[in-house]
Amino acid sequence: MSDGTTTEGRTPTAQDIVGRDKDPHLDDDNPFEAMMARFDHAAELLDLDPGIYRVLRHPEKQLIVSVPIQRDSGDLEVFTGYRVVHNTARGPGKGGIRFDLRVTLDEVKALAAWMTWKCAVVNIPFGGAKGGVVCDPPTLSVGELERLTRRFTAALMDILGPESDIPAPDVNTNERVMAWIMDTYSMHQRHPTTAVVTGKPVEMGGSLGRREATGRGCMIATTEALKHLGLPLRGTKLAVQGFGNVGSIGAHLLEQEGLTVVAVSDVSGAIYNPNGIRVEDAMNWVRDHRYLSGYPGAEQISADELFTLDVDVLLPAAVENAITRKNAGDVRAKIICEGANGPTTAGADRILEENGVFVIPDILANAGGVTVSYFEWVQDRMGYFWDEGMVIDRLNGIMTNAFRDVLAVSQRHSVNMRVASYMLAIERVAAVHRLRGLYA
Ligand code: NAD
């Protein structure tokens, strides 16, 4: 395996890449292995140079650190943290930091590679990275969380930096955690360095429009898809899984474009009204009641039913593996816009393609977030901040171009949008590897 081919001499599969110590059967429900399988497929179609293929299979850096902190009780506890930089050919590594009990090195490696492809699809000058600390945030006090964040940042000092590796929020991390990272890094550098993280509070170098960016990107991709398929915006029916940052903002912006939101769901269940649910009312309801459940003016339906409704567009914006082999055949929507990361399994992909469903893949559909993170980094480095209109205009330009670029590859190679997005991303990264050559 060390030379990049398997002992059988065949092209390595996702299982080879993700790790042989896991289940030997490729697990359709493991989004990371599914992602790697998609990478392999696209690389094969591109007839990618075997040397570059080998380079892209391996992350550039993998750091495992022990993070000791003092608990409020006075006890010392040691957590394990990871940071993986997958590829920096096109620019510094970019990717979130998650605090979660399920964090593993394999998962972080795959997510870092995912970021490389996502940044390349939207053609922003970043590579891919990801990090995480194995911990259970609800069991940590705010003080413990701050100490954990600061000590983890200190442990990553050698690899973090605006020119090398730039974290962002991810599962269980937020603006506040990013502010602590920026402060810790700046204390070590002896000067304020806002561009070392994105997703910061606006008061300290964050960008206007970042909060809405992923939902806005979904709206732009969906409207492009509707135009491409010759479908109208007005009256087009939409169902949304997940009513958090991406789902609620995506739904609200699509409603403003003329679509009718007939169903939305969150962790408390799904609600449906064939005549339309006013998204702002539902947002206000969630603000006051925390969950959608009990929202008046819509009937309660099961979470599974949401995917089988007679709608034109589905926006899965909650969890991984929402659309699987089991329910893909029941999807009646013409378009799926993947707001979430990995909402569709590889098995479901095949069924959706057979049924003619147009899937806007996650690495394109939800790339609005990382695009505005890029804008944040640019503004921090310039020390000059844009108004929200400028952010929206530029996001519009980047997302529209990315959609059209992926569509062009899809048409040229007669492949679906997912395969096309991987082909486009891999080719963009490979092109830079060819130009840069190999430093020896
Ligand atoms: P969030 O925490 O703000 O919202 C998640 C929503 O999903 C909540 O409404 C929650 O109740 C709901 N939910 C959870 N489990 C559910 C289930 N089983 N069925 C239905 N609803 C369920 O999270 P978010 O930031 O909106 O992220 C959603 C997805 O989008 C994730 O996959 C995330 O990785 C991806 N994503 C987010 C961003 C971003 O900028 N926020 C960027 C790229 C990708």
Side-chain angles (χ1 to χ4, degrees):
M1 279 290 293
S2 59
D3 70 349
T5 51
T6 64
T7 45
E8 301 91 331
R10 64 184 164 77
T11 303
T13 64
Q15 191 61 43
D16 301 316
I17 298 163
V18 175
R20 284 212 173 275
D21 49 338
K22 298 178 101 184
D23 187 337
H25 303 290
L26 188 64
D27 175 5
D28 182 42
D29 290 341
N30 181 322
F32 313 113
E33 294 183 9
M35 188 270 291
M36 285 300 189
R38 285 157 178 163
F39 164 67
D40 276 358
H41 180 51
E44 216 176 297
L45 289 174
L46 282 170
D47 203 11
L48 187 66
D49 174 275
I52 292 179
Y53 177 85
R54 267 174 231 142
V55 170
L56 295 181
R57 284 179 60 226
H58 295 280
E60 286 176 15
K61 275 182 206 153
Q62 305 175 56
L63 193 61
I64 305 177
V65 294
S66 294
V67 191
I69 65 155
Q70 187 162 31
R71 300 298 297 250
D72 293 343
S73 63
D75 293 344
L76 284 188
E77 192 159 342
V78 182
F79 295 89
T80 301
Y82 305 104
R83 185 75 183 168
V84 173
V85 178
H86 171 256
N87 189 281
T88 58
R90 291 169 43 86
K94 184 87 194 83
I97 287 180
R98 54 178 60 178
F99 289 170
D100 198 83
L101 276 179
R102 290 162 298 185
V103 168
T104 63
L105 181 60
D106 277 345
E107 182 196 67
V108 175
K109 275 162 70 174
L111 290 168
W114 208 331
M115 287 305 298
T116 302
W117 316 134
K118 196 181 283 191
C119 293
V121 165
V122 279
N123 214 1
I124 56 177
F126 284 147
K130 205 80 180 189
V133 177
V134 187
C135 66
D136 190 16
T139 65
L140 298 171
S141 69
V142 173
E144 290 169 339
L145 196 64
E146 178 172 354
R147 292 195 287 283
L148 180 74
T149 304
R150 289 187 181 278
R151 186 63 195 240
F152 182 50
T153 307
L156 300 184
M157 275 307 291
D158 290 342
I159 65 171
L160 296 188
E163 313 288 344
S164 51
D165 180 11
I166 308 145
D170 201 82
V171 176
N172 293 328
T173 59
N174 55 18
E175 285 191 350
R176 179 188 235 176
V177 172
M178 297 308 112
W180 290 328
I181 294 176
M182 178 271 177
D183 184 69
T184 306
Y185 184 87
S186 299
M187 287 295 120
H188 280 254
Q189 293 298 319
R190 303 314 220 188
H191 56 81
T193 313
T194 49
V196 69
V197 277
T198 61
K200 297 179 295 294
V202 172
E203 298 87 325
M204 52 172 285
S207 178
L208 293 172
R210 172 65 187 89
R211 199 177 66 82
E212 297 81 9
T214 308
R216 184 173 297 281
C218 291
M219 178 274 282
I220 298 165
T222 301
T223 53
E224 283 297 312
L226 286 165
K227 280 186 231 158
H228 164 65
L229 296 176
L231 297 169
L233 299 179
R234 189 142 300 280
T236 287
K237 284 187 260 168
L238 168 70
V240 185
Q241 184 204 32
F243 205 62
N245 175 277
V246 180
S248 66
I249 292 170
H252 196 211
L253 293 171
L254 281 163
E255 183 187 52
Q256 286 170 3
E257 292 298 311
L259 278 75
T260 305
V261 179
V262 296
V264 289
S265 72
D266 67 5
V267 74
S268 73
I271 56 171
Y272 172 62
N273 183 340
N275 299 318
I277 293 167
R278 273 204 65 217
V279 179
E280 202 176 333
D281 290 349
M283 285 164 115
N284 290 339
W285 177 267
V286 170
R287 192 197 53 217
D288 297 340
H289 301 84
R290 196 157 170 214
Y291 298 114
L292 281 167
S293 137
Y295 175 78
E299 63 174 290
Q300 199 82 27
I301 58 167
S302 78
D304 294 343
E305 243 176 295
L306 181 126
F307 289 102
T308 64
L309 292 172
D310 181 17
V311 293
D312 305 289
V313 182
L314 269 180
L315 173 60
V319 287
E320 293 143 2
N321 302 333
I323 304 170
T324 65
R325 261 190 273 248
K326 290 195 196 89
N327 61 0
D330 299 325
V331 167
R332 290 152 84 186
K334 299 176 190 79
I335 296 171
I336 296 177
C337 176
E338 295 187 333
N341 285 318
T344 311
T345 67
D349 266 353
R350 280 188 284 277
I351 298 168
L352 295 172
E353 183 164 20
E354 274 163 28
N355 292 346
V357 182
F358 187 89
V359 177
I360 311 168
D362 46 13
I363 59 171
L364 168 64
N366 69 36
V370 74
T371 302
V372 176
S373 279
Y374 162 58
F375 296 162
E376 179 175 335
W377 176 80
V378 169
Q379 293 169 79
D380 288 340
R381 283 157 53 102
M382 285 195 303
Y384 179 72
F385 289 85
W386 310 345
D387 61 26
E388 196 173 358
M390 172 100 96
V391 172
I392 292 173
D393 279 355
R394 291 187 168 170
L395 175 61
N396 226 325
I398 287 192
M399 285 300 299
T400 308
N401 285 341
F403 182 92
R404 291 177 188 168
D405 289 348
V406 173
L407 185 63
V409 174
S410 142
Q411 289 170 334
R412 194 170 337 119
H413 294 271
S414 303
V415 293
N416 65 36
M417 290 287 279
R418 187 180 319 279
V419 176
S421 65
Y422 276 85
M423 289 175 78
L424 179 68
I426 293 168
E427 182 44 41
R428 280 183 174 156
V429 178
V432 176
H433 274 281
R434 284 193 286 271
L435 287 166
R436 286 180 60 162
L438 195 63
Y439 173 78

